[in-house]
Amino acid sequence: MESELKAPSDVWIPPTEGVKYIGSKLRMLPYIVRIIHSLPHVRTVLDGFAGTTRVSQALYQLGFEVTCNDLAAWSEVFGRCYLQADRPEAYYRELIDHLNSLPPRAGWFADTYGSLPKSPFQYANLCKLDAVREEISSLWLDPLDESVLLTSLMLGLNRVDNTLGHFSSYLSSWSKRSYRELFLPLPRLLNISLPRKKSEVLRGDVFQAVEGRRFDVAYFDPPYGSNNEKMPPSRVRYAAYYHFWTSVVLNDRPQVFGRAGRRADTRDLVSASPFEEYRTDGEGRHVAMETLRELVARTDARYILLSYSSGGRVTKQELLELLLENGHLLQVMEVNCRKNVMAHMTWTNLWSADDGGHQEYLFLIEKQ
Ligand SMILES: C[S@@+](CC[C@H](N)C(=O)[O-])C[C@H]1O[C@@H](n2cnc3c(N)ncnc32)[C@H](O)[C@@H]1O
């Protein structure tokens, strides 16, 4: 039977930070946390497609040993900053105060994005970004300390952007917040405010992250693309949507193309993740589905928790079949984030449920 329940309130949901991100699980955190919290004898958790790292941040604060992984370079920066940076707050505060005091100076970002018909930031803030980014490089900090400053820079930029939450097009008339002066805040450093827990931050393909490692829980939130056939597939790839953060973090002044000034390495046929592949293989099977099937099979974890959003190319029935090949289904949860209402679902009503409207699902299996 389906039962409608209000969002859970009996577990502490730790605060997290992050940039605007399509597919961020900010609103799903209460549900994800509650499920993982309720499992017996869980110590180690993999967040295999960590994105903003919000799930990793929350689980880390609850005392789990977290391994945080994503393909994106900036996700690794967030992971290092929140889970691993370990100097006293005053050390970082002084550096950030110094960056905030720098005079703006035009460089690659201002030259590249200031000349586009529509821009993700006001020119003055692009100049400030240039000054700050160059200074961060010239400080030659170790990667953990540098990650705190880069996170601070991205959090600051995220508050003054002129976007709809991604960098594949920009607003035609300046957003109100874009007029604010770029200011770098001090990130919430979890590794210094809590009793230290082990953590691992990885940047790479999720298959490498699971290779040779064992976890109590593996949480997977892969990209599922869009089932909107009018959307060019290259546009719905994460690397293409968030190219700007990649350039901020790498500071590699890449060649860019198109109206949004996208990095050349995010062109249609490069840097595709098989999870974002919309095509079918020679036998008519979806490449993305088959990749997920292989991932679930190759993951050495007692439990696998999988996120799924309606509107992706893969259907929830397909997902369920794939999961059942590898374990026992313990729980399926459907959440309507807008109404903040969830339902526990059973096998039968899952198969008959209507896909209308935007729903988020969580599938929990215990591996065989
Ligand atoms: C739906 S988002 C995850 C959002 C994340 N749970 C959050 O709350 O921010 C999917 C993520 O998968 C990453 N990704 C895509 N292909 C990947 C792969 N092969 N291995 C690891 N990460 C991948 C993307 O960079 C993106 O950040």
Side-chain angles (χ1 to χ4, degrees):
M1 277 295 289
E2 186 170 344
S3 60
E4 296 240 317
L5 300 168
K6 278 284 167 204
S9 56
D10 51 340
V11 184
W12 175 56
I13 309 303
T16 58
E17 288 183 342
V19 290
K20 297 178 202 82
Y21 199 51
I22 294 171
S24 156
K25 289 297 166 289
L26 175 59
R27 286 170 160 203
M28 289 297 289
L29 270 179
Y31 306 95
I32 295 166
V33 162
R34 186 191 222 192
I35 290 177
I36 295 179
H37 207 261
S38 70
L39 297 171
H41 313 299
V42 170
R43 186 171 52 86
T44 55
V45 185
L46 167 68
D47 183 7
F49 301 82
T52 57
T53 72
R54 282 187 186 272
V55 174
S56 292
Q57 290 175 45
L59 295 174
Y60 184 78
Q61 291 174 82
L62 288 165
F64 295 104
E65 288 177 19
V66 177
T67 299
C68 162
N69 174 74
D70 198 284
L71 274 183
W74 48 265
S75 177
E76 180 188 38
V77 165
F78 284 144
R80 284 177 172 165
C81 165
Y82 289 113
L83 309 188
Q84 298 189 323
D86 56 1
R87 298 217 202 215
E89 223 173 70
Y91 172 81
Y92 297 117
R93 193 180 292 281
E94 198 177 313
L95 284 170
I96 290 172
D97 286 349
H98 164 64
L99 296 177
N100 274 321
S101 72
L102 294 172
R105 197 185 59 216
W108 183 82
F109 285 101
D111 293 347
T112 307
Y113 291 94
S115 57
L116 294 176
K118 293 190 241 168
S119 175
F121 298 97
Q122 298 262 1
Y123 189 72
N125 281 332
L126 288 169
C127 293
K128 180 82 187 189
L129 160 61
D130 273 316
V132 169
R133 188 60 191 90
E134 281 315 299
E135 182 67 4
I136 293 176
S137 285
S138 65
L139 291 171
W140 292 104
L141 300 172
D142 77 40
L144 288 191
D145 296 337
E146 189 176 82
S147 74
V148 176
L149 304 192
L150 290 174
T151 297
S152 168
L153 177 57
M154 289 189 280
L155 292 178
L157 286 165
N158 183 58
R159 292 178 185 173
V160 297
D161 69 304
N162 185 49
T163 77
L164 280 169
H166 57 75
F167 295 90
S168 72
S169 60
Y170 312 122
L171 298 171
S172 337
S173 31
W174 291 109
S175 67
K176 218 167 148 192
R177 62 181 177 275
S178 71
Y179 288 96
R180 287 192 222 137
E181 195 180 329
L182 171 61
F183 176 81
L184 280 62
L186 179 72
R188 271 184 83 241
L189 302 167
L190 309 177
N191 193 35
I192 55 176
S193 56
L194 293 164
R196 288 199 191 150
K197 281 274 156 205
K198 276 200 225 150
S199 66
E200 197 174 13
V201 177
L202 307 170
R203 169 184 166 196
D205 184 35
V206 68
F207 282 95
Q208 280 165 13
V210 297
E211 187 67 43
R213 290 184 177 83
R214 178 171 167 81
F215 303 97
D216 296 325
V217 179
Y219 169 63
F220 292 139
D221 182 20
Y224 288 101
S226 162
N227 62 6
N228 179 352
E229 295 298 333
K230 292 187 191 126
M231 279 290 254
S234 59
R235 294 270 194 82
V236 293
R237 288 185 186 145
Y238 276 91
Y241 264 141
Y242 296 99
H243 60 90
F244 195 86
W245 295 142
T246 307
S247 299
V248 168
V249 163
L250 300 182
N251 199 25
D252 57 353
R253 304 169 181 222
Q255 278 200 339
V256 301
F257 71 97
R259 289 163 154 256
R262 256 170 61 192
R263 296 173 62 91
D265 59 9
T266 67
R267 275 186 190 276
D268 293 10
L269 295 172
V270 260
S271 77
S273 161
F275 293 96
E276 294 174 312
E277 182 55 75
Y278 62 98
R279 280 171 277 222
T280 49
D281 62 15
E283 290 163 42
R285 295 174 306 197
H286 278 110
V287 172
M289 251 328 261
E290 292 313 307
T291 312
L292 190 56
R293 188 187 304 280
E294 199 184 328
L295 177 64
V296 170
R298 277 172 44 182
T299 298
D300 184 7
R302 173 144 185 224
Y303 302 101
I304 294 184
L305 181 63
L306 186 71
S307 270
Y308 168 73
S309 311
S310 60
R313 282 184 193 266
V314 171
T315 67
K316 58 180 184 283
Q317 281 81 359
E318 283 175 302
L319 270 189
L320 196 62
E321 279 167 355
L322 167 166
L323 288 170
L324 289 172
E325 286 167 17
N326 289 281
H328 307 290
L329 186 66
L330 296 183
Q331 204 173 341
V332 181
M333 196 183 272
E334 181 190 62
V335 179
N336 182 325
C337 283
R338 263 187 222 113
K339 296 190 192 143
N340 213 22
V341 167
M342 74 173 185
H344 286 292
M345 305 191 81
T346 57
W347 169 267
T348 34
N349 68 25
L350 181 72
W351 285 76
S352 58
D354 178 15
D355 250 350
H358 180 82
Q359 311 285 345
E360 294 274 344
Y361 296 88
L362 287 167
F363 296 90
L364 177 70
I365 60 161
E366 183 166 12
K367 267 202 100 177
Q368 274 154 354

